[in-house]
Amino acid sequence: MGANFNLKTLTVALAALSAASIASAAGLDRSGQDITAFLQDGTYAETVYTYLDADVSGYDNDYVGKDKNAYKQGNKIGDIAESYDFFRYGVKADINDTFSVGVLYDEPFGAAADYSGNNNFVAQGDRDAVIKNVTGNPAYSEAVIDTVVIPTLQAQLAPGNPQNLTDGQLKEAQANYIGVLTAKKAADAEELTKGEGTNVEVRTENITAILGMKFGENKNFQVYGGPVAQQVQADVKLRGLAYSAATGYTAHISSDQDYGWLAGVSYSKPEIALQAALTYRSEIDHTLPIFESYPAASIEKAGEIDITTPKSVNFDFQTGINPTTLATAKVRWVPWSDFAIVPPVYTDVSKAQYPEGLSLVSYDKDQWLVELGLAKRLTPALAVTGNIGWDSGAGNPVTSLGPIEGYYSAGLGAKYNLTDNWAISAGGKYLWFGDAKGQIPTKNVVSNFEDNDGFALGVKLSYQAKQNFN
């Protein structure tokens, strides 16, 4: 066979790229759930810090009418994407030439959005605007419903049906009466939360334990798997006209831990630096404490919420092109169309108008992520990398709490071996976000976001030592 490509030195280059590996913009994906630390040769440990800063700005919807998909450019929405950072840790060791063990930590899913300024996602304290929005009647104001509408409806609904209304007319009057009272409560919430913007923060943490077993004549194949412990917590505030009667809604989901699993198979051919791995992560079912406040329904209640974080499939591939150059590919699939956050109070209140109830967050499509890269070893100690990527997003329109339809990306990285065992890596990516319209749970389009971008920076410190079992 030709020149030995030397897997260890070529992965010097590959590791530089993953220092800036960040999550997709689709759904709540963040870390990409990388497991390549476990696939390293010998004893290996890494700590990775990633920082993401995005600019996600647009306009609210000034359209008034019954078409849910119609859009008319309204007020400016400044950058809603809060910068965030997270850590990833990994350690792996070979027990012998057959069995390996590892532990990985990452923060796989999350969200951070915060609205501010003069737009429909910030409570402006305009009681009459809320009343018009909730009732759907542009002629209504608080004075009108207090002096005309409510007295008229109370007369129609007086005991004994003094106006001889039909059953249908009585039901309509009852619905209208409930509607105007709800509008007044929503106006109270708008005034009480004046100046507050819509805000969401979701964080998750994963710890994965992995056991791998190599087999085959040259130990080229490996199967691996293990348990996953996951914690989830979230806070959501809905504010402003965009959410109509739900303005003022607040939910706090407390952290709790539940469990899933991981399984995969890999193949390696060190003489040409070839390595391929297919990894499946299970969905994880959570039952979490939640406290909800829904002012328009006069409800403050503690309870429980069921959330299932999605399963995923990752495919990682690399192969040597020549003794100093490596080609890489990564494909990731996450079925976000199966995911939803369904708070009990929020959903129950929505059943008055939507019999099946509304979820607070849901997605229409699954996510696909593809990254292609090249890594070049310039000297025995220094390597550089470059890659391009595409993320499909999870549908458009998409939730107003994360209005991005995927992205294109380009990245550069470098790694320097400090000693035979210790190395430091750094990398960056620039992201072009896909244009998207934001929608609320009723599927009404409430905003439009275009021409947005962001960048990610990553730093990694790693340790690697060859183990010899001869």
Side-chain angles (χ1 to χ4, degrees), residues 8 417-422 464:
K8 185 175 186 297
N417 279 355
L418 301 171
T419 69
D420 287 343
N421 302 117
W422 289 93
Q464 188 166 23

Side-chain angles (χ1 to χ4, degrees), residues 162-320:
Q163 298 187 10
N164 297 315
L165 301 182
T166 65
D167 288 344
Q169 290 171 327
L170 281 170
K171 287 182 180 179
E172 182 179 359
Q174 181 67 35
N176 288 337
Y177 187 59
I178 293 173
V180 295
L181 293 182
T182 298
K184 288 196 66 174
K185 291 177 183 177
D188 291 341
E190 175 80 0
E191 184 177 38
L192 185 63
T193 61
K194 182 178 180 179
E196 294 183 15
T198 296
N199 177 276
V200 58
E201 183 171 358
V202 180
R203 295 206 79 139
T204 62
E205 297 178 280
N206 269 20
I207 296 180
T208 304
I210 307 178
L211 173 66
M213 183 184 74
K214 298 182 178 69
F215 62 96
E217 184 178 353
N218 298 310
K219 304 292 186 180
N220 295 107
F221 292 93
Q222 180 179 213
V223 292
Y224 51 90
V228 179
Q230 184 178 86
Q231 286 192 322
V232 177
Q233 66 181 53
D235 288 281
V236 178
K237 295 180 180 179
L238 305 183
R239 302 291 186 266
L241 288 177
Y243 295 99
S244 193
T247 184
Y249 173 83
T250 301
H252 172 66
I253 301 174
S254 301
S255 176
D256 201 1
Q257 184 168 287
D258 282 283
Y259 302 90
W261 53 274
L262 166 152
V265 59
S266 67
Y267 172 80
S268 65
K269 193 172 183 179
E271 57 267 31
I272 60 170
L274 187 149
Q275 189 176 80
L278 185 67
T279 307
Y280 173 86
R281 285 181 177 267
S282 74
E283 58 187 24
I284 300 179
D285 297 324
H286 295 267
T287 298
L288 304 163
I290 183 173
F291 179 81
E292 296 176 84
S293 174
Y294 203 135
S298 300
I299 298 175
E300 289 189 352
K301 186 177 181 181
E304 291 185 335
I305 182 173
D306 294 326
I307 296 177
T308 299
T309 54
K311 59 190 174 186
S312 65
V313 177
N314 280 18
F315 176 68
D316 295 281
F317 177 83
Q318 67 176 56
T319 186

Side-chain angles (χ1 to χ4, degrees), residues 113-126:
D114 189 18
Y115 286 81
S116 61
N118 180 21
N119 57 70
N120 290 342
F121 295 88
V122 178
Q124 306 297 333
D126 188 337

Side-chain angles (χ1 to χ4, degrees), residues 232-464:
V232 177
Q233 66 181 53
D235 288 281
V236 178
K237 295 180 180 179
L238 305 183
R239 302 291 186 266
L241 288 177
Y243 295 99
S244 193
T247 184
Y249 173 83
T250 301
H252 172 66
I253 301 174
S254 301
S255 176
D256 201 1
Q257 184 168 287
D258 282 283
Y259 302 90
W261 53 274
L262 166 152
V265 59
S266 67
Y267 172 80
S268 65
K269 193 172 183 179
E271 57 267 31
I272 60 170
L274 187 149
Q275 189 176 80
L278 185 67
T279 307
Y280 173 86
R281 285 181 177 267
S282 74
E283 58 187 24
I284 300 179
D285 297 324
H286 295 267
T287 298
L288 304 163
I290 183 173
F291 179 81
E292 296 176 84
S293 174
Y294 203 135
S298 300
I299 298 175
E300 289 189 352
K301 186 177 181 181
E304 291 185 335
I305 182 173
D306 294 326
I307 296 177
T308 299
T309 54
K311 59 190 174 186
S312 65
V313 177
N314 280 18
F315 176 68
D316 295 281
F317 177 83
Q318 67 176 56
T319 186
I321 297 175
N322 60 47
T324 62
T325 306
L326 193 73
T328 65
K330 177 179 180 178
V331 179
R332 175 169 167 81
W333 171 76
V334 185
W336 285 108
S337 60
D338 296 337
F339 175 83
I341 298 177
V342 188
V345 169
Y346 182 91
T347 302
D348 285 347
V349 171
S350 72
K351 289 179 180 178
Q353 188 173 356
Y354 302 88
E356 295 183 359
L358 297 175
S359 55
L360 182 61
V361 176
S362 63
Y363 300 95
D364 295 330
K365 295 182 179 179
D366 298 343
Q367 169 203 2
W368 285 93
L369 167 69
V370 179
E371 288 186 350
L372 303 175
L374 286 174
K376 178 72 174 179
R377 180 166 56 88
L378 301 180
T379 73
L382 178 65
V384 294
T385 62
N387 84 339
I388 56 174
W390 167 78
D391 184 285
S392 68
N396 185 22
V398 69
T399 173
S400 58
L401 302 179
I404 292 172
E405 188 188 18
Y407 62 75
Y408 290 94
S409 70
L412 294 172
K415 179 180 179 182
Y416 185 76
N417 279 355
L418 301 171
T419 69
D420 287 343
N421 302 117
W422 289 93
I424 188 167
S425 309
K429 283 186 179 178
Y430 185 81
L431 303 104
W432 295 267
F433 296 130
D435 298 341
K437 285 186 168 62
Q439 65 181 9
I440 57 176
T442 61
K443 303 301 183 182
N444 285 66
V445 169
V446 290
S447 57
N448 187 43
F449 291 79
E450 295 181 346
D451 302 324
N452 291 310
D453 57 9
F455 66 88
L457 301 174
V459 179
K460 174 192 290 187
L461 180 66
S462 60
Y463 171 87
Q464 188 166 23

